[in-house]
Amino acid sequence: MRDTPTSTSRRSSRSASRRSSTTSRTSSTSSGSPIVWSWRCLRCITISKRLWTTSAAASRSACVGRIVRRSRPPLRRGRVVGRKSHPSGPSDHSPDHQRLLFSAPQHRRRVNHPADNIIGVSAAVKKIRAELECAARSDAKVLLTGESGVGKDIAARVIHQLSARSHMPFVAINCVSVPDSLLEAELFGHVRGSFTGAYRDRPGLFETAHKGTVFLDEVCEMSPRMQALLLRFLETGEIQRVGSDRAQSRIDVRVLAATNRDPEQLVADKIFRADLYYRLNVIDIRVPSLRARPEDVSLLFEHFLRGYASARGIAEPTVAPDVIAALVAFEWPGNIRQLKNVAERLIVRAQNSRISLADLPPEIAGRPRAAEAVAAPAERAPVEEIFDRMVKNRESFWSAVYPAFMTRDLTRDDLRFIIRRGLHETAGSYKMLVELLNMRPNDYKRFLNFLRKHECHVPFARFRSAELRRRAPQDDEFSGGALIDPTSSVLDRQLPASDDMRATGTGRR
Ligand SMILES: Nc1ncnc2c1ncn2[C@@H]1O[C@H](COP(=O)(O)OP(=O)(O)OP(=O)(O)O)[C@@H](O)[C@H]1O
Ligand SMILES: [Mg+2]
């Protein structure tokens, strides 16, 4: 059939309208709502220590994944495949959807899944991840319990990021860091003139988090009055700003709470309201301590080392196997936070590209602390070995200790331990210590100067045995009982008073 002008113009107008609808759909997919949507993801308000900060970091990893996904939408035969093309596909915010970068099978892999922020391979961590994913599917309130520093905060964020509310605000408040007099206004807002300094109406956190998630950290520390106000809000969903005589509109927020105390015990002790406890404890997730998952220690430690090393722009150090063994064996009362601090300290002090047992804090390396050193010397195996080389194998201090100390294979604590151990053997005499550690008598001054320079001098008085102390007044060696530490600055002023000084030829005889 030949084209008439009318049919041609109808067809061209139809194709124009198809073009325009394609353009508008494409543009709305690639540059309209997705950008707005993506940036909304970055809006995560953290309130802690009385500060309100807008923090993108909290959910950055998950959001970046989504921006990448949106800015490079799946293509099929060169055309953008929008959500409408997958009516039965996963919804935008479902956990399944978040695991997909692109819909093409070759790209179907887990990228930046929020639960991956929970580092660990132990059965306990796998169970926690499953519990968090399960909790994220509903809107039920969650009470996270567990010791301090086990990762309750991270767990709360993961629930939010996995939930359908992930593109809405996540607002966290530490209930103990805000004074009770301010907490009500922080949570529920206030109206102008309600108290000194209230110059304008201000919404509270619950309003700010409308459609999103509120995380109440350390919830059990709330005063009875705040507990009553929170309970009323949880029951009615209504908030009343401080100074207002009527309730605001209903607020839709999901409430997550955490405590490192035993809530049941607090309820039994009548410190925490039972009705509030049951309101909050719809889903109870107990985050295990690090002691309960020793398999995760090395993974976490290396994860933190890598993070701190890259932040400082240095290569990640290697870790000696006995370091990992010591870390796994340690009890970790401060849990993951304490492990993280150890990793940071090692990176800050990093001298070598290899972390050895001597770099670990004594309590973690299994060495006794300074005060316990003499009482339990057997625990300090590597330094003990060096000590034995000098005492039993007659090796000199200058070859057994000095080079290792100068190359930092031995720490100051190690050196102090050797000195203490030696003074223990010589009943506090530095002169005999020089002999014990196979130095020439002439080395006495050099030895003391070396200890003083490196702040490794150890007061000798407490090593004097009771018998020697009793002998002291009669014994020349103790200079009339005046015990002077030859390594202290007193040395220079009171040389004649010390037995050890006699070795230099300056002592009183
Ligand atoms: N599984 C984990 N993977 C990686 N980092 C973790 C993990 N668990 C905890 N952390 C890190 O340990 C530190 C403490 O975690 P978090 O603040 O979540 O503990 P918490 O249980 O809330 O402690 P508190 O009871 O003192 O508030 C944080 O810096 C966090 O990044
Ligand atoms: Mg916390």
Side-chain angles (χ1 to χ4, degrees):
M1 197 176 77
R2 279 181 56 204
D3 275 358
T4 61
T6 328
S7 69
T8 309
S9 80
R10 219 182 286 133
R11 212 168 37 228
S12 66
S13 87
R14 260 206 308 271
S15 73
S17 83
R18 207 183 305 130
R19 259 200 317 276
S20 85
S21 80
T22 308
T23 313
S24 77
R25 199 178 71 195
T26 308
S27 70
S28 78
T29 306
S30 62
S31 62
S33 66
I35 289 179
V36 172
W37 182 83
S38 300
W39 281 110
R40 275 186 8 209
C41 281
L42 294 176
R43 192 164 161 244
C44 174
I45 300 167
T46 302
I47 291 138
S48 174
K49 314 276 180 224
R50 298 188 218 171
L51 286 178
W52 290 51
T53 51
T54 301
S55 153
S59 54
R60 187 178 294 139
S61 59
C63 294
V64 167
R66 280 180 226 133
I67 290 167
V68 170
R69 186 173 62 238
R70 285 303 184 128
S71 58
R72 292 181 59 196
L75 296 174
R76 186 181 291 161
R77 289 195 201 121
R79 290 187 59 195
V80 172
V81 181
R83 195 148 43 114
K84 280 181 185 161
S85 308
H86 294 279
S88 59
S91 82
D92 242 13
H93 310 303
S94 73
D96 285 345
H97 181 83
Q98 297 202 8
R99 285 176 206 177
L100 306 181
L101 184 62
F102 300 124
S103 24
Q106 67 272 26
H107 294 302
R108 211 167 280 167
R109 62 194 168 92
R110 191 171 155 135
V111 175
N112 280 335
H113 188 270
D116 290 344
N117 291 337
I118 311 260
I119 307 280
V121 287
S122 60
V125 163
K126 285 182 189 151
K127 184 164 165 266
I128 279 288
R129 282 203 200 104
E131 282 179 350
L132 297 179
E133 290 188 16
C134 178
R137 276 183 225 129
S138 77
D139 245 358
K141 294 171 194 62
V142 179
L143 182 62
L144 294 150
T145 55
E147 292 173 25
S148 178
V150 290
K152 299 185 290 295
D153 211 285
I154 285 201
R157 287 170 198 277
V158 168
I159 294 176
H160 171 74
Q161 288 161 2
L162 286 175
S163 74
R165 296 172 180 262
S166 61
H167 59 299
M168 299 308 280
F170 174 84
V171 176
I173 184 163
N174 187 314
C175 300
V176 86
S177 68
V178 183
D180 202 52
S181 53
L182 295 179
L183 191 57
E184 183 183 353
E186 288 290 342
L187 288 178
F188 302 109
H190 60 76
V191 295
R192 188 176 162 208
S194 52
F195 52 84
T196 314
Y199 298 117
R200 58 182 177 86
D201 290 3
R202 206 180 103 180
L205 298 187
F206 285 121
E207 275 181 82
T208 310
H210 186 49
K211 301 268 182 205
T213 307
V214 168
F215 174 47
L216 302 170
D217 202 1
E218 308 207 31
V219 70
C220 288
E221 311 306 319
M222 274 187 179
S223 68
R225 181 166 177 279
M226 278 312 302
Q227 290 179 30
L229 290 173
L230 178 61
L231 182 66
R232 194 186 65 191
F233 167 71
L234 295 179
E235 282 178 347
T236 63
E238 287 178 353
I239 52 155
Q240 187 165 350
R241 291 186 181 178
V242 174
S244 169
D245 49 9
R246 61 183 172 82
Q248 301 291 126
S249 54
R250 289 172 69 86
I251 302 292
D252 167 24
V253 289
R254 181 185 197 177
V255 175
L256 309 176
T259 179
N260 52 27
R261 299 177 69 183
D262 177 359
E264 284 179 5
Q265 188 58 48
L266 295 176
V267 169
D269 295 346
K270 303 214 179 320
I271 294 171
F272 198 68
R273 289 179 71 121
D275 42 8
L276 179 57
Y277 169 62
Y278 292 116
R279 273 268 159 201
L280 290 173
N281 193 28
V282 180
I283 299 177
D284 173 21
I285 297 182
R286 172 126 196 121
V287 185
S289 71
L290 199 49
R291 286 186 301 284
R293 41 184 174 132
E295 312 91 292
D296 298 335
V297 170
S298 65
L299 210 62
L300 280 161
F301 183 66
E302 277 158 15
H303 167 76
F304 294 136
L305 274 187
R306 201 174 309 124
Y308 287 120
S310 92
R312 279 178 66 93
I314 60 174
E316 188 191 341
T318 56
V319 183
D322 54 353
V323 169
I324 297 293
L327 293 174
V328 171
F330 189 61
E331 277 283 296
W332 298 111
N335 285 299
I336 299 170
R337 186 175 289 127
Q338 189 183 4
L339 178 68
K340 196 173 174 179
N341 289 348
V342 170
E344 182 174 12
R345 207 178 312 149
L346 288 171
I347 291 292
V348 169
R349 290 190 186 162
Q351 305 293 342
N352 300 314
S353 56
R354 183 178 167 82
I355 293 175
S356 65
L357 203 59
D359 297 324
L360 288 182
E363 69 275 17
I364 296 172
R367 297 190 300 258
R369 279 223 165 266
E372 302 153 10
V374 172
E379 285 175 34
R380 210 177 147 106
V383 194
E384 280 283 324
E385 240 171 62
I386 295 180
F387 189 81
D388 284 352
R389 265 164 53 198
M390 292 184 286
V391 175
K392 293 186 185 155
N393 305 347
R394 313 293 306 148
E395 193 175 335
S396 163
F397 174 88
W398 301 117
S399 62
V401 176
Y402 183 79
F405 182 79
M406 296 315 280
T407 55
R408 295 178 195 273
D409 286 337
L410 282 183
T411 63
R412 285 182 179 179
D413 274 349
D414 293 329
L415 180 53
R416 286 184 199 121
F417 174 83
I418 289 170
I419 303 302
R420 248 182 244 115
R421 182 76 205 277
L423 288 174
H424 187 65
E425 301 277 320
T426 63
S429 167
Y430 268 92
K431 179 189 163 192
M432 284 162 68
L433 182 61
V434 168
E435 206 176 302
L436 182 75
L437 302 184
N438 304 306
M439 289 177 269
R440 286 170 301 148
N442 291 352
D443 286 346
Y444 178 78
K445 211 168 183 177
R446 179 184 167 206
F447 175 58
L448 292 185
N449 284 339
F450 169 74
L451 296 182
R452 198 162 31 185
K453 181 173 166 195
H454 295 286
E455 295 170 15
C456 291
H457 46 78
V458 176
F460 67 85
R462 67 192 155 100
F463 296 95
R464 302 289 196 198
S465 67
E467 192 198 342
L468 288 174
R469 278 175 187 281
R470 245 182 286 114
R471 276 201 298 132
Q474 294 84 42
D475 193 337
D476 268 359
E477 200 178 21
F478 292 97
S479 314
L483 298 175
I484 306 296
D485 178 1
T487 61
S488 74
S489 53
V490 180
L491 169 71
D492 303 324
R493 285 178 274 122
Q494 302 193 32
L495 282 176
S498 168
D499 69 308
D500 298 292
M501 290 307 98
R502 284 189 285 112
T504 64
T506 56
R508 183 165 53 107
R509 294 192 68 87

